[in-house]
Amino acid sequence: MNHKNGFNPLSRTTAHRRAMSRNMVTSLFRYERITTTKSKALEVRKSAEKLITRAKEDTVHNRREAAKFISDEKILNKLFTEIGPRMKERNGGYTRVLKLGFRQGDAADVVILELVDYKLESEDEKANKKEAKKAPAKDDKSKKAATKSKEAAPAKKSASKKTSEKKEEPKAE
């Protein structure tokens, strides 16, 4: 019988399970959407929802309690400054589990665990981000440096060929 079993041990040791849970919760808050197995998602969801409930009220005590679980300061700050205030009006149910299907290798149930107010980026926004990343890379200075290094590289190769030919000639005599 499985009565009053408080959590799913996921066939892992306590230390491994705790570390995995912390990593997955941190990733959930960083990307606001993660893909994992159903059993892991249901376990991670419990701790993530408790942390979001704490983040709704930004106090020193709540930050310290959350910092016990989340070691990355940037993610902890994001939790209290962005995610917590967004969920202020909700009384729970901050995450959602969407079924994807079965994994190819072991047929495990694969799901998406995401925050309820997560919004997918449209293709226009993705294109704008790509253009923004490419634009600074095409400076005149970087072009000049790239052409100089390309010109210098073949000269070094030809010089090394000449020295190797010189070394081979005395051996042939």
Side-chain angles (χ1 to χ4, degrees), residues 27-90:
S27 294
L28 176 64
F29 293 147
R30 176 177 287 134
Y31 303 113
E32 300 186 9
R33 182 179 211 192
I34 58 173
T35 303
T36 183
T37 62
K38 183 178 179 182
S39 55
K40 287 181 193 173
L42 296 179
E43 284 302 309
V44 167
R45 171 188 226 177
K46 293 176 187 176
S47 50
E49 296 221 0
K50 288 177 184 176
L51 287 171
I52 292 173
T53 301
R54 281 205 178 269
K56 287 165 63 172
E57 186 179 343
D58 191 1
T59 63
V60 174
H61 177 69
N62 284 343
R63 276 188 181 261
R64 286 181 178 167
E65 288 296 315
K68 288 180 183 177
F69 205 81
I70 299 173
S71 59
D72 190 349
E73 288 186 24
K74 289 181 181 178
I75 303 304
L76 185 66
N77 192 32
K78 179 180 179 182
L79 175 64
F80 279 89
T81 58
E82 295 176 26
I83 297 171
R86 282 192 336 221
M87 305 289 185
K88 203 76 159 172
E89 293 82 33
R90 298 185 72 88

Side-chain angles (χ1 to χ4, degrees), residues 2 5-14 16-17 20 43:
N2 223 3
N5 189 4
F7 63 95
N8 182 354
L10 300 170
S11 300
R12 286 165 172 78
T13 62
T14 304
H16 183 187
R17 187 175 54 249
M20 183 185 66
E43 284 302 309

Side-chain angles (χ1 to χ4, degrees), residues 69-135:
F69 205 81
I70 299 173
S71 59
D72 190 349
E73 288 186 24
K74 289 181 181 178
I75 303 304
L76 185 66
N77 192 32
K78 179 180 179 182
L79 175 64
F80 279 89
T81 58
E82 295 176 26
I83 297 171
R86 282 192 336 221
M87 305 289 185
K88 203 76 159 172
E89 293 82 33
R90 298 185 72 88
N91 291 326
Y94 311 113
T95 58
R96 154 188 319 136
V97 176
L98 302 170
K99 296 179 182 179
L100 285 180
F102 301 102
R103 194 160 52 195
Q104 183 71 32
D106 60 355
D109 285 333
V110 179
V111 298
I112 293 175
L113 177 65
E114 68 181 9
L115 299 178
V116 171
D117 60 352
Y118 178 79
K119 294 179 183 172
L120 284 174
E121 291 182 12
S122 66
E123 292 185 22
D124 296 334
E125 292 173 358
K126 288 181 183 178
N128 290 340
K129 282 187 178 181
K130 285 183 181 179
E131 290 174 8
K133 286 181 181 178
K134 289 180 181 178

